Amino acid sequence: AGGLVGYSLSSNYKYCGINVEETSSLINLNQENVYALAGGLVGFVNFGKINNSSVGTITLKSYSSAGIASFLTGEINSCYAGITTSVIGKVVGGLTCNLYGTIKNSYTLANLEGSEIQAGITTYLWNGAEVDKVYTYCSYLGDGEGYADTISNYKTRPKDFGAINNSIFVEI
């Protein structure tokens, strides 16, 4: 599920946003279902692009929850998740949970509440993925292991994982 779209195949989104200031701004999925993906804009992005878009006031609850898109094989550029974004689930990420694509020039300001894993940028940074000029300002409220950037061991095994460059991580 997503604030705008649940599943996107090769679609492009530009100048989109969601900012709901009512109590109905909750996306709530089964947190025990490993296939339950929640993203502030899109739950699952398959080879698409999200540009110049934002997520404001929203609460996401799912097994896998992320500020912009839970699963991404495409590209995020010049986007942000912030203001009062709350990301809750077993596995949570400030921008994405499973990153196979690219995130550039983006930031997140979010409350992360993961019961297993909580990561400022993405929980899993897969081979070929790229993060460049990304800024995260996150608070870690869950019991899960907290990571400023990702759980993936990209620094010591760069051939097995993607790359994170020119990025800043701040715990608030």
Side-chain angles (χ1 to χ4, degrees), residues 36-79:
L37 308 174
L41 289 176
V42 184
F44 190 106
V45 179
N46 199 3
F47 301 108
K49 294 180 181 179
I50 304 173
N51 293 302
N52 301 301
S53 298
S54 63
V55 176
T57 302
I58 192 167
T59 298
L60 304 163
K61 287 185 179 181
S62 179
Y63 181 91
S64 174
S65 300
I68 300 288
S70 184
F71 190 99
L72 177 74
T73 62
E75 175 184 307
I76 293 174
N77 188 22
S78 300
C79 294

Side-chain angles (χ1 to χ4, degrees), residues 72 76 95-96 99-106 120-122 124-126 128-136 149-150 154 162-169:
L72 177 74
I76 293 174
L95 291 172
T96 67
L99 179 61
Y100 290 85
T102 303
I103 304 175
K104 293 183 178 180
N105 307 309
S106 299
I121 294 179
T122 184
Y124 300 105
L125 180 73
W126 298 100
E130 180 186 359
V131 174
D132 189 38
K133 297 180 184 135
V134 169
Y135 309 94
T136 65
D149 47 11
T150 180
Y154 70 97
I164 296 178
N165 299 303
N166 307 309
S167 297
I168 297 174
F169 321 102

